[in-house]
């Protein structure tokens, strides 16, 4: 029975086993070596650009897969938004690779924040002496999640360990769309005001009638 049939999200533990943990780590190792190879041959600016493009693509696929399996989350619900971010984070990483948690907006707003206290990518980049000049693709990856899910949220990076922050901190909240209503006066004006083409056609008919008479 799928999560959509039960109405309950699938616990991350049910998606996890020793093999998937190992494969996930090996593929992230591949990503790291790929980044280093691009940097060595074409420079770090190109490596940063392609890295962001690739992670946004992967993020979209993960978000789409999650949405097809679990259903589109109600991001206006803080609890649902928090659950989907935590679950997708653990689909792509595990606690040994990245330590993070989510919590309600400390300002009491409608959104939530994600706090990352340790990230394997920063450790690897530091060890490879590539941390300087590295552009974190986190917002691109997370943006891909929300695109794949088909939800409209505002996601901001408010603190980053790469640039000297104590933690990485992301603030996420639903985008409130405002409907534009047309007033009755505007509608009446649009419906009754003749266009230039209509006026020209009317004048042409009047000239023909005058000529016949």
């Amino acid at each position: 029975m799928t999560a959509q049939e039960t109405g309950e999200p699938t616990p991350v533990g049910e998606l996890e086993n020793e093999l998937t943990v190992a494969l996930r780590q090996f593929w992230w190792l591949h990503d790291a070596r790929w980044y280093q190879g691009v940097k060595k041959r074409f420079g770090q600016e190109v490596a940063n650009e392609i890295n962001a493009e690739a992670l946004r693509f992967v993020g979209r696929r993960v978000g789409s897969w999650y949405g097809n399996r679990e259903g589109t989350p109600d991001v206006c619900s803080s609890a649902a938004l928090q659950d989907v971010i935590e679950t997708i984070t653990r689909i792509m990483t595990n606690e040994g690779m990245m330590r993070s948690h989510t919590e309600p907006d400390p300002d009491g707003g409608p959104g939530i924040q994600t706090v990352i206290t340790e990230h394997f990518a920063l450790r690897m980049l530091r060890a490879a002496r590539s941390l300087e000049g590295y552009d974190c693709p986190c917002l691109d990856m997370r943006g891909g999640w929300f695109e794949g899910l088909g939800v409209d949220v505002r996601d901001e990076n408010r603190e980053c360990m790469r640039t000297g922050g104590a933690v990485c901190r992301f603030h996420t909240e639903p985008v409130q769309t405002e409907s534009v209503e047309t007033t009755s006066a505007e509608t009446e004006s649009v419906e009754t005001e003749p266009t230039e083409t209509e006026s020209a056609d009317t004048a042409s008919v009047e000239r023909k009638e005058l000529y016949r008479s």
Side-chain angles (χ1 to χ4, degrees):
M1 183 173 291
T2 66
Q4 286 179 296
E5 291 172 332
T6 62
E8 295 293 333
T10 304
V12 179
E14 293 184 12
L15 304 174
E16 196 81 290
N17 59 47
E18 185 177 354
L19 177 60
T20 57
V21 169
L23 287 175
R24 184 191 295 117
Q25 291 174 326
F26 288 142
W27 274 111
W28 276 111
L29 178 61
H30 167 274
D31 177 76
R33 296 306 302 170
W34 174 89
Y35 178 88
Q36 293 296 331
V38 175
K39 177 193 171 187
K40 182 177 180 180
R41 289 165 179 77
F42 304 104
Q44 192 160 31
E45 183 178 352
V46 174
N48 286 330
E49 180 181 344
I50 297 177
N51 192 39
E53 290 177 358
L55 278 175
R56 192 172 197 97
F57 175 84
V58 172
R60 280 197 299 268
R61 288 299 179 90
V62 172
S64 178
W65 176 86
Y66 180 89
N68 288 335
R69 181 185 176 90
E70 308 290 334
T72 302
D74 175 15
V75 294
C76 290
S77 162
S78 296
L81 182 57
Q82 185 170 349
D83 181 73
V84 74
I85 290 176
E86 288 181 349
T87 304
I88 291 183
T89 296
R90 290 300 160 231
I91 289 171
M92 298 192 70
T93 66
N94 58 36
E95 285 289 346
M97 300 169 68
M98 186 180 78
R99 297 188 182 279
S100 68
H101 66 273
T102 58
E103 58 191 31
D105 184 350
D107 299 325
I112 65 167
Q113 66 175 2
T114 306
V115 181
I116 301 172
T117 56
E118 186 177 342
H119 201 295
F120 73 101
L122 298 180
R123 294 198 308 267
M124 297 173 71
L125 286 161
R126 190 176 292 109
R129 299 181 181 179
S130 297
L131 190 59
E132 187 67 29
Y134 177 76
D135 288 340
C136 294
C138 301
L139 282 177
D140 291 278
M141 179 181 68
R142 291 166 62 92
W145 297 351
F146 303 125
E147 287 177 18
L149 286 166
V151 296
D152 197 7
V153 302
R154 182 180 295 106
D155 196 38
E156 300 174 341
N157 180 210
R158 295 188 172 179
E159 189 175 357
C160 178
M161 288 187 285
R162 157 67 185 81
T163 57
V167 297
C168 293
R169 192 183 309 274
F170 298 89
H171 178 81
T172 314
E173 65 180 49
V175 174
Q176 303 295 334
T177 57
E178 296 182 0
S179 59
V180 179
E181 297 183 357
T182 304
T183 64
S184 57
E186 290 173 338
T187 304
E188 183 179 352
S189 174
V190 170
E191 291 177 348
T192 59
E193 184 177 349
T195 63
E196 293 183 5
T197 304
E198 290 173 341
S199 299
D201 290 344
T202 302
S204 175
V205 171
E206 290 174 350
R207 284 196 298 271
K208 289 178 182 179
E209 293 298 328
L210 180 61
Y211 176 77
R212 289 192 187 125
S213 62

